[in-house]
């Protein structure tokens, strides 16, 4: 493992290919929190890998046309033909298709941006400034809140405990989200009145890893991650260094406690 506190390409590929043990993966994830360039590279690699599988897996698994089989008299000739077709397709299409996807990723927002980052930021802006009705169900009904949101999202949810960072739970609410899905929002507040929101929803994410990513836009700081089909975004107007430990604390609790029902 590199000791210069940055993540190099070799480590990124080993992380993506699941060639690291638990301790090494944990170290990479810690480094990624402070290395936005490495985060962007990892997202590009993951998106390209997913796109290539989506494009070429159907070609590898589709049935051979009967007319083509009829022209092959020997089993060895059949396999040679299949291998030639696959190699031709891969060699002809891989180069330009990879470049097309890399350019396209820069031109259009990802699924995570459109269906997690942007909705979470918007919901934070709308409700974090609300005085009379910041939440739908208050923290005094903590158990009911968790059961209600768990039922609506079809996932066992428990509001993370962020008191170690000085934030107490105010409550939560159910929200409409994109793609005709629902989302949950938990809200926290510290003694100075500063608020943090945690946005949770399901989605067909292009990256299903548990890597924490960071985004900063319009004065908001956001740490977000996905775990299979679940997406999480912790948003506030606090500085990045102040919010990082809170995000890691929430991340750890949610990854451990989130179980489908």
């Amino acid at each position: 493992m590199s000791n210069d506190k940055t993540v190099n390409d070799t480590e990124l590929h080993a992380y993506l290919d699941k060639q690291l043990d638990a301790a090494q993966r944990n170290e990479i994830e810690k480094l990624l929190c402070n290395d936005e360039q490495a985060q962007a590279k990892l997202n590009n690699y993951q998106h390209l890998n997913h796109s290539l599988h989506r494009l070429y897996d159907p070609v590898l698994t589709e049935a051979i046309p009967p007319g083509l089989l009829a022209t092959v008299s020997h089993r060895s000739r059949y396999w040679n033909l299949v291998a030639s077709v696959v190699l031709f397709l891969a060699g002809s299409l891989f180069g330009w298709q990879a470049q097309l996807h890399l350019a396209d990723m820069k031109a259009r927002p990802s699924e995570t941006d459109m269906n997690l980052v942007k909705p979470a930021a918007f919901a934070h802006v709308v409700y974090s400034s609300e005085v009379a009705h910041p939440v739908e169900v208050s923290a005094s009904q903590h158990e009911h809140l968790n059961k209600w949101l768990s039922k609506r999202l079809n996932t066992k949810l428990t509001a993370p405990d962020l008191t170690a960072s000085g934030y107490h739970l105010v409550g939560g609410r159910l929200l409409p989200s994109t793609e005709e899905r629902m989302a949950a929002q938990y809200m926290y507040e510290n003694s100075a009145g500063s608020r943090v929101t945690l946005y949770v929803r399901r989605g067909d994410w292009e990256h299903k890893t548990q890597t924490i990513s960071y985004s900063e836009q319009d004065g908001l700081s956001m740490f977000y991650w996905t775990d299979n089909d679940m997406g999480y975004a912790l948003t506030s107007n606090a500085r990045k260094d102040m919010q990082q430990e809170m995000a890691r604390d929430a991340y750890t609790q949610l990854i451990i406690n989130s179980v489908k029902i």
Side-chain angles (χ1 to χ4, degrees), residues 124-166:
H124 177 85
V125 171
V126 171
Y127 293 108
S128 65
S129 60
E130 181 66 39
V131 177
H133 304 288
V135 297
E136 195 170 0
V137 179
S138 69
S140 63
Q141 296 178 283
H142 184 271
E143 185 176 352
H144 166 66
L145 173 63
N146 285 327
K147 287 183 177 179
W148 173 51
L149 294 177
S150 295
K151 182 177 180 180
R152 295 307 303 268
L153 270 65
N154 193 35
T155 293
K156 183 180 179 181
L157 294 177
T158 300
D161 183 355
L162 303 182
T163 54
S165 299

Side-chain angles (χ1 to χ4, degrees), residues 31-41 214-216 240:
L31 295 177
L32 283 169
C33 288
N34 298 305
D35 192 339
E36 296 182 12
Q37 184 177 4
Q39 289 178 25
K41 282 187 178 181
Y214 177 75
S215 176
E216 187 173 310
K240 179 181 179 180

Side-chain angles (χ1 to χ4, degrees), residues 44 47 50-51 54 100-114 118 206:
N44 284 346
H47 188 264
H50 175 76
S51 299
R54 185 175 57 189
L100 176 63
H101 277 286
L102 286 173
D104 191 43
M105 282 188 285
K106 297 178 180 179
R108 62 182 177 83
S110 68
E111 289 289 322
T112 306
D113 288 332
M114 292 297 296
K118 292 185 182 299
E206 68 273 26

Side-chain angles (χ1 to χ4, degrees), residues 5 8 12 23 32 52 66 101 115 141 149 153 155 170 176 215 217 224 250 252:
K5 300 304 179 182
N8 59 44
L12 283 177
L32 283 169
L52 290 174
H101 277 286
N115 299 320
Q141 296 178 283
L149 294 177
L153 270 65
T155 293
V170 177
S215 176
Q217 52 185 338
Y224 62 96
T252 301

Side-chain angles (χ1 to χ4, degrees), residues 6-51:
T6 62
V7 186
N8 59 44
D9 285 347
T10 300
E11 292 168 340
L12 283 177
H13 285 297
Y15 179 87
L16 182 61
D17 295 337
K18 302 185 184 303
Q19 296 177 349
L20 304 178
D21 59 31
Q24 291 173 320
R25 288 183 65 83
N26 186 57
E27 180 64 20
I28 289 294
E29 289 165 0
K30 288 180 180 178
L31 295 177
L32 283 169
C33 288
N34 298 305
D35 192 339
E36 296 182 12
Q37 184 177 4
Q39 289 178 25
K41 282 187 178 181
L42 180 63
N43 288 340
N44 284 346
Y45 294 153
Q46 290 171 324
H47 188 264
L48 179 59
N49 188 42
H50 175 76
S51 299

